[in-house]
PDB file of all heavy atoms in Angstrom:
ATOM      1  N   GLN A  46      -9.218  -9.094 -17.384  1.00 97.00           N
ATOM      2  CA  GLN A  46     -10.179  -9.842 -18.141  1.00 97.00           C
ATOM      3  C   GLN A  46      -9.565 -10.941 -18.997  1.00 97.00           C
ATOM      4  O   GLN A  46     -10.084 -12.074 -19.048  1.00 97.00           O
ATOM      5  CB  GLN A  46     -11.081  -8.872 -18.984  1.00 97.00           C
ATOM      6  CG  GLN A  46     -11.937  -7.940 -18.185  1.00 97.00           C
ATOM      7  CD  GLN A  46     -13.009  -8.702 -17.311  1.00 97.00           C
ATOM      8  OE1 GLN A  46     -13.491  -9.699 -17.738  1.00 97.00           O
ATOM      9  NE2 GLN A  46     -13.304  -8.143 -16.198  1.00 97.00           N
ATOM     10  N   GLY A  54     -12.892 -21.449 -12.750  1.00 98.00           N
ATOM     11  CA  GLY A  54     -12.749 -22.906 -12.447  1.00 98.00           C
ATOM     12  C   GLY A  54     -11.597 -23.303 -11.601  1.00 98.00           C
ATOM     13  O   GLY A  54     -11.442 -24.483 -11.144  1.00 98.00           O
ATOM     14  N   LYS A  96     -10.540 -14.893   4.414  1.00 98.00           N
ATOM     15  CA  LYS A  96     -11.913 -15.025   4.773  1.00 98.00           C
ATOM     16  C   LYS A  96     -12.288 -16.465   5.026  1.00 98.00           C
ATOM     17  O   LYS A  96     -13.125 -16.839   5.864  1.00 98.00           O
ATOM     18  CB  LYS A  96     -12.797 -14.339   3.726  1.00 98.00           C
ATOM     19  CG  LYS A  96     -12.698 -12.882   3.751  1.00 98.00           C
ATOM     20  CD  LYS A  96     -13.396 -12.224   2.533  1.00 98.00           C
ATOM     21  CE  LYS A  96     -13.241 -10.688   2.574  1.00 98.00           C
ATOM     22  NZ  LYS A  96     -13.850 -10.027   1.381  1.00 98.00           N
ATOM     23  N   ASP A 123       6.011  20.608  -5.089  1.00 70.00           N
ATOM     24  CA  ASP A 123       6.654  21.085  -6.335  1.00 70.00           C
ATOM     25  C   ASP A 123       6.165  22.490  -6.727  1.00 70.00           C
ATOM     26  O   ASP A 123       6.876  23.337  -7.235  1.00 70.00           O
ATOM     27  CB  ASP A 123       6.466  20.122  -7.482  1.00 70.00           C
ATOM     28  CG  ASP A 123       5.030  19.577  -7.598  1.00 70.00           C
ATOM     29  OD1 ASP A 123       4.135  20.150  -6.988  1.00 70.00           O
ATOM     30  OD2 ASP A 123       4.882  18.534  -8.253  1.00 70.00           O
ATOM     31  N   GLY A 139      -0.925  14.728  14.336  1.00 94.00           N
ATOM     32  CA  GLY A 139      -0.284  13.569  14.976  1.00 94.00           C
ATOM     33  C   GLY A 139       0.782  12.890  14.167  1.00 94.00           C
ATOM     34  O   GLY A 139       1.463  11.947  14.616  1.00 94.00           O
ATOM     35  N   GLU A 215      15.833   3.139 -14.189  1.00 94.00           N
ATOM     36  CA  GLU A 215      16.475   2.659 -15.422  1.00 94.00           C
ATOM     37  C   GLU A 215      17.959   3.077 -15.421  1.00 94.00           C
ATOM     38  O   GLU A 215      18.780   2.495 -16.185  1.00 94.00           O
ATOM     39  CB  GLU A 215      15.776   3.231 -16.691  1.00 94.00           C
ATOM     40  CG  GLU A 215      15.712   4.732 -16.712  1.00 94.00           C
ATOM     41  CD  GLU A 215      14.481   5.254 -17.468  1.00 94.00           C
ATOM     42  OE1 GLU A 215      13.362   4.763 -17.222  1.00 94.00           O
ATOM     43  OE2 GLU A 215      14.670   6.138 -18.353  1.00 94.00           O
ATOM     44  N   ALA A 248      21.726  -5.523  -6.029  1.00 97.00           N
ATOM     45  CA  ALA A 248      23.106  -5.809  -6.382  1.00 97.00           C
ATOM     46  C   ALA A 248      23.892  -4.548  -6.731  1.00 97.00           C
ATOM     47  O   ALA A 248      25.111  -4.483  -6.577  1.00 97.00           O
ATOM     48  CB  ALA A 248      23.111  -6.822  -7.562  1.00 97.00           C
ATOM     49  N   ASP A 253      18.995   2.436   0.300  1.00 98.00           N
ATOM     50  CA  ASP A 253      18.746   2.112   1.664  1.00 98.00           C
ATOM     51  C   ASP A 253      17.365   1.725   1.990  1.00 98.00           C
ATOM     52  O   ASP A 253      17.111   1.042   2.966  1.00 98.00           O
ATOM     53  CB  ASP A 253      19.102   3.388   2.552  1.00 98.00           C
ATOM     54  CG  ASP A 253      20.532   3.884   2.327  1.00 98.00           C
ATOM     55  OD1 ASP A 253      21.490   3.164   2.750  1.00 98.00           O
ATOM     56  OD2 ASP A 253      20.658   4.937   1.663  1.00 98.00           O
ATOM     57  N   ALA A 292      -5.314  -1.505  -1.683  1.00 98.00           N
ATOM     58  CA  ALA A 292      -3.906  -1.496  -1.806  1.00 98.00           C
ATOM     59  C   ALA A 292      -3.276  -1.186  -0.451  1.00 98.00           C
ATOM     60  O   ALA A 292      -2.315  -1.806  -0.045  1.00 98.00           O
ATOM     61  CB  ALA A 292      -3.450  -0.479  -2.804  1.00 98.00           C
ATOM     62  N   CYS A 296      -0.770  -3.554   1.756  1.00 98.00           N
ATOM     63  CA  CYS A 296       0.561  -3.116   2.261  1.00 98.00           C
ATOM     64  C   CYS A 296       0.700  -3.345   3.711  1.00 98.00           C
ATOM     65  O   CYS A 296       1.734  -3.796   4.171  1.00 98.00           O
ATOM     66  CB  CYS A 296       0.680  -1.578   1.993  1.00 98.00           C
ATOM     67  SG  CYS A 296       0.971  -1.089   0.288  1.00 98.00           S
ATOM     68  N   ASN A 329     -15.594   0.040   7.075  1.00 97.00           N
ATOM     69  CA  ASN A 329     -14.865  -0.055   8.322  1.00 97.00           C
ATOM     70  C   ASN A 329     -13.795   1.053   8.438  1.00 97.00           C
ATOM     71  O   ASN A 329     -12.562   0.817   8.529  1.00 97.00           O
ATOM     72  CB  ASN A 329     -14.217  -1.398   8.545  1.00 97.00           C
ATOM     73  CG  ASN A 329     -13.210  -1.809   7.450  1.00 97.00           C
ATOM     74  OD1 ASN A 329     -13.451  -1.539   6.325  1.00 97.00           O
ATOM     75  ND2 ASN A 329     -12.184  -2.433   7.813  1.00 97.00           N
ATOM     76  N   ARG A 362     -20.155   3.039 -13.406  1.00 97.00           N
ATOM     77  CA  ARG A 362     -21.068   3.380 -14.477  1.00 97.00           C
ATOM     78  C   ARG A 362     -20.560   4.557 -15.266  1.00 97.00           C
ATOM     79  O   ARG A 362     -20.936   4.751 -16.449  1.00 97.00           O
ATOM     80  CB  ARG A 362     -22.393   3.747 -13.834  1.00 97.00           C
ATOM     81  CG  ARG A 362     -23.152   2.600 -13.212  1.00 97.00           C
ATOM     82  CD  ARG A 362     -24.600   2.900 -12.890  1.00 97.00           C
ATOM     83  NE  ARG A 362     -25.302   1.803 -12.288  1.00 97.00           N
ATOM     84  CZ  ARG A 362     -25.505   1.687 -10.985  1.00 97.00           C
ATOM     85  NH1 ARG A 362     -25.181   2.730 -10.142  1.00 97.00           N
ATOM     86  NH2 ARG A 362     -26.160   0.607 -10.459  1.00 97.00           N
TER      87      ARG A 362
END
Side-chain angles (χ1 to χ4, degrees):
Q46 292 298 327
K96 290 171 181 175
D123 44 18
E215 56 207 50
D253 304 289
C296 287
N329 58 322
R362 293 192 180 102

